[in-house]
Amino acid sequence: MKNCGDLVDNKSAIVGGVGDMYSEDSATLDQPITPWTISVASGYSLMRDPRYNKGLAFTEKERDAHYLRGLLPPIVLSQELQEKKMMNLIRQYEVPLHRYMAMIGLQETNERLFYKLLIDNVEELLPVVYTPTVGEACQKYGSIFRHSQGLYISLKEKGKILETLKNWPERTVQVIVVTDGERILGLGDLGCQGMGIPVGKLALYTALGGVRPSLCLPITIDVGTNNEKLLNDEFYIGLRQKRATGEEYNELLQEFMYAVKQNYGEKVLIQFEDFANHNAFELLARYSSSHLVFNDDIQGTAAVVLAGLLSALRLLGGTLADHKFLFLGAGEAGTGIADLIALEISEQNGKPIEENRKNIWLVDSKGLIVSSRKESLQDFKKPWAHEHEPITGLINAVKAIKPTILIGTSGVGKQFTKEVVEDMASFNKTPLIMALSNPTSQAECTAEEAYTWSEGRAIFASGSPFDPFEYEGKTFVPGQANNAYIFPGFGLGVIMAGSIRVHNGMLLAASKALASQVTEEHYEKGMIYPPLTNIRKISANIAAKVAAKAYELGLASHLPQPEDLVESAEKCMYSPVYRSYL
């Protein structure tokens, strides 16, 4: 059986990509393995290797076999009891950042227990290891930095990036998440301290998508920062200089992209995260034809929002073409979502994408994007410059356009005011309001505000999580348009198929796969996304559809195509269950 590109036994453990040096991939979950390539005189090092450390779960026989006798208290605890103990500890912390630090500390000491906690408690811990808490962690990264979790490539490494990549201990890498820290969530330029984003994303690749941790590489490209507060912070960990731009920046990125391909091959997925607009679009356009690249802010956000829109049609009625969209925010997320919506409408009605853009309107900081502004617009905004008189202010745009769907990607909080929401509710029986900006403080409005101001008629989704809200006796469960629904399964599908490029058809396949998993029970609660508790099953289905599209498009290199792609995806997934070291 061909599994994730490697031949493994049908009875093999859930693996997550390719074989590793300790033969875990070819061993069943109940088959003992040896976590050493050489004999050692003491198990002290074993206890300090996060990938193989089991803490107090080492059995009596393992303690004898691996020179651990006396190095641990005499009690033997199961992984389940360790998990219970750790969750009790984490719940005692009232400050979210303290919870984050506890989880990162666990990841650095006991990798399998970290992922078991995250998988089994995903709804509770996702906001801890990722948005919104990761935003604060990035802001304070220099102060809380204890141990390097990824690779830092700065201007000092120019001319020797390939050599730097070879310093990473893993020879095989399948997913790289890279940032230059210029636009971290809605928090702006955090420079080198943006490393929290690649680390967090890749933790989700493993926990939610099942990609083996050893195959994941977080990278921060440090070209300086324009954040004066950080430059004057004695604990800042990055280059103390203004951001490099232009030729100097482009040369460093080009060297990086080709070094990655030379070191890890054609099929390593490079995911761009939190680059500023002017670089994000250019990098994606420049390297999409030569590398396997994916921009989560542009493409991942678009796919998860489109999935929410497709499922919301069950509550709104009609097709996408029947609705009118208004975006607040015309950056990476806004234009990326708008493009994918127009592409999906074209797939449905067969009309040119230019025609299907006409019902999609965008508002930026200067007002409604209209044709009279075209000369002054950035290239990625120009397709959305429609014929209309100039309008400033969101409320005026809402009154003029009368959208059925309002989407916020502005990165600026509190923009969906009471007047805006009430106006949406005045001409829509069921307005769809998506306040997508992260973290929570930057959300365009809260769930409570959307439901209250619309008198309980709105369908609401956000980027950061909000608790269920009761309005006039009915409980509403806000949807979370979290990219975590898409990118882990998308990446797994790309890896499974051995795809050499990312195609828009694969994004549409991921969106439809996610939308199809919303049930009537969910709709009754106002939900347009399935619960995150089922995320591994969701990711397996998304991976299967993405892989199938890669095979259909002729982009897959792992041949022949497996008969059951969902089963293949599930067998590919990394299991955090402790192994027997005998």
Side-chain angles (χ1 to χ4, degrees):
M1 172 184 164
K2 185 157 281 191
N3 213 12
C4 292
D6 279 8
L7 291 171
V8 297
D9 185 86
N10 280 319
K11 297 179 181 178
S12 68
I14 298 171
V15 296
V18 301
D20 74 346
M21 63 190 293
Y22 300 110
S23 303
E24 285 194 61
D25 292 355
S26 57
T28 60
L29 285 174
D30 56 357
Q31 181 178 336
I33 64 169
T34 303
W36 300 106
T37 53
I38 56 173
S39 296
V40 293
S42 172
Y44 197 74
S45 298
L46 175 59
M47 291 166 50
R48 275 149 184 76
D49 186 333
R51 194 180 308 176
Y52 299 101
N53 178 34
K54 301 198 293 185
L56 292 174
F58 285 109
T59 66
E60 298 288 348
K61 289 183 178 180
E62 287 173 331
R63 295 180 190 205
D64 285 333
H66 297 296
Y67 312 100
L68 292 164
R69 182 65 63 184
L71 299 179
L72 292 165
I75 193 69
V76 176
L77 295 183
S78 67
Q79 189 177 22
E80 289 68 30
L81 198 54
Q82 287 180 316
E83 182 179 2
K84 180 181 179 181
K85 174 185 171 183
M86 193 66 200
M87 284 306 299
N88 286 342
L89 178 63
I90 289 170
R91 286 167 181 153
Q92 288 177 24
Y93 292 115
E94 295 183 3
V95 178
L97 186 62
H98 294 168
R99 293 187 174 195
Y100 174 89
M101 292 172 68
M103 285 296 290
I104 293 300
L106 181 62
Q107 186 181 20
E108 293 172 353
T109 56
N110 188 330
E111 188 174 86
R112 286 183 179 274
L113 185 57
F114 168 83
Y115 285 112
K116 186 121 184 14
L117 248 69
L118 190 47
I119 292 167
D120 293 347
N121 305 276
V122 62
E123 288 192 311
E124 182 175 354
L125 293 180
L126 187 61
V128 175
V129 300
Y130 202 61
T131 55
T133 311
V134 74
E136 183 183 359
C138 287
Q139 288 175 310
K140 300 174 180 176
Y141 210 76
S143 297
I144 66 174
F145 180 87
R146 294 181 300 192
H147 182 268
S148 183
Q149 292 181 287
L151 205 57
Y152 294 85
I153 296 174
S154 73
L155 290 169
K156 291 181 178 181
E157 282 69 58
K158 191 173 183 181
K160 46 188 177 183
I161 293 179
L162 180 60
E163 178 185 331
T164 304
L165 289 175
K166 291 181 184 296
N167 289 338
W168 186 249
E170 302 296 340
R171 299 278 69 86
T172 303
V173 169
Q174 290 189 320
V175 183
I176 290 172
V177 175
V178 59
T179 187
D180 71 352
E182 189 169 3
R183 191 202 59 82
I184 298 297
L185 302 175
L187 303 171
D189 186 351
L190 299 183
C192 193
Q193 298 191 165
M195 178 58 95
I197 297 297
V199 169
K201 287 279 184 179
L202 286 169
L204 302 188
Y205 257 109
T206 297
L208 314 187
V211 179
R212 180 176 290 281
S214 61
L215 303 177
C216 299
L217 173 54
I219 294 180
T220 289
I221 294 178
D222 184 3
V223 295
T225 178
N226 294 333
N227 186 325
E228 289 292 339
K229 184 177 179 181
L230 289 179
L231 290 173
N232 295 320
D233 183 350
E234 63 179 327
F235 299 126
Y236 180 57
I237 58 174
L239 293 177
R240 293 182 185 275
Q241 65 173 65
K242 294 290 186 180
R243 274 191 175 272
T245 57
E247 188 175 344
E248 186 179 16
Y249 179 90
N250 291 331
E251 285 178 355
L252 188 73
L253 266 293
Q254 181 170 314
E255 183 186 349
F256 166 74
M257 293 299 291
Y258 284 96
V260 165
K261 194 170 180 179
Q262 184 176 345
N263 201 46
Y264 298 118
E266 182 88 8
K267 292 177 285 187
V268 60
L269 176 61
I270 304 169
Q271 179 168 312
F272 296 120
E273 281 291 338
D274 290 355
F275 284 76
N277 292 341
H278 55 278
N279 289 321
F281 288 100
E282 188 177 335
L283 289 170
L284 189 60
R286 185 185 305 161
Y287 294 109
S288 59
S289 61
S290 59
H291 291 68
L292 183 65
V293 292
F294 172 73
N295 186 302
D296 193 41
D297 303 301
I298 299 172
Q299 297 165 298
T301 302
V304 76
V305 174
L306 177 59
L309 295 173
L310 292 172
S311 66
L313 291 176
R314 296 272 292 277
L315 299 171
L316 296 173
T319 66
L320 286 179
D322 297 324
H323 290 275
K324 193 174 288 187
F325 303 83
L326 180 64
F327 286 79
L328 176 65
E332 296 168 58
T335 55
I337 298 165
D339 270 323
L340 204 63
I341 293 170
L343 183 62
E344 174 59 20
I345 296 173
S346 292
E347 292 267 324
Q348 292 178 4
N349 64 17
K351 294 179 181 178
I353 193 167
E354 292 77 15
E355 186 172 339
N356 288 321
R357 287 186 175 124
K358 291 179 180 177
N359 273 345
I360 303 172
W361 297 82
L362 279 71
V363 173
D364 65 8
S365 60
K366 294 181 174 61
L368 193 67
I369 294 178
V370 293
S371 54
S372 60
R373 294 179 51 198
K374 206 162 189 175
E375 292 302 315
S376 62
L377 291 173
Q378 295 163 286
D379 287 342
F380 60 87
K381 293 182 182 181
K382 288 180 179 179
W384 309 103
H386 307 319
E387 287 294 333
H388 199 284
E389 64 185 61
I391 293 176
T392 57
L394 176 63
I395 184 59
N396 295 325
V398 169
K399 291 180 183 297
I401 302 300
K402 290 188 164 35
T404 54
I405 297 169
L406 180 63
I407 300 174
T409 62
S410 61
V412 181
K414 307 300 181 185
Q415 297 299 297
F416 292 173
T417 62
K418 183 178 181 182
E419 186 181 5
V420 167
V421 174
E422 286 180 344
D423 215 50
M424 285 288 295
S426 71
F427 50 78
N428 287 302
K429 180 182 178 182
T430 310
L432 175 54
I433 295 172
M434 304 184 84
L436 303 179
S437 294
N438 285 317
T440 311
S441 60
Q442 304 304 114
E444 284 78 9
C445 70
T446 66
E448 180 180 348
E449 290 167 343
Y451 294 128
T452 303
W453 293 338
S454 67
E455 299 177 332
R457 290 187 284 119
I459 302 168
F460 177 80
S462 56
S464 290
F466 284 99
D467 292 331
F469 177 72
E470 186 176 324
Y471 181 81
E472 294 188 353
K474 183 177 180 181
T475 299
F476 295 90
V477 181
Q480 189 185 354
N482 193 320
N483 291 22
Y485 277 113
I486 289 288
F487 71 81
F490 185 87
L492 181 61
V494 167
I495 292 169
M496 282 171 55
S499 183
I500 57 171
R501 297 289 179 271
V502 168
H503 186 278
N504 281 333
M506 295 155 73
L507 297 172
L508 295 178
S511 295
K512 292 169 187 173
L514 175 56
S516 69
Q517 293 172 81
V518 184
T519 67
E520 288 300 328
E521 181 185 350
H522 303 144
Y523 287 126
E524 288 173 8
K525 298 176 183 177
M527 298 169 66
I528 55 175
Y529 293 99
L532 278 163
T533 47
N534 299 325
I535 188 62
R536 276 208 157 193
K537 180 178 173 60
I538 293 166
S539 292
N541 280 280
I542 290 172
K545 294 296 185 183
V546 169
K549 181 58 71 170
Y551 282 106
E552 179 189 323
L553 294 169
L555 295 172
S557 64
H558 292 163
L559 303 171
Q561 177 179 340
E563 290 184 15
D564 189 330
L565 285 167
V566 175
E567 181 184 10
S568 289
E570 290 172 343
K571 285 186 175 181
C572 276
M573 287 186 168
Y574 164 83
S575 169
V577 175
Y578 285 155
R579 308 304 301 274
S580 175
Y581 298 153
L582 290 175

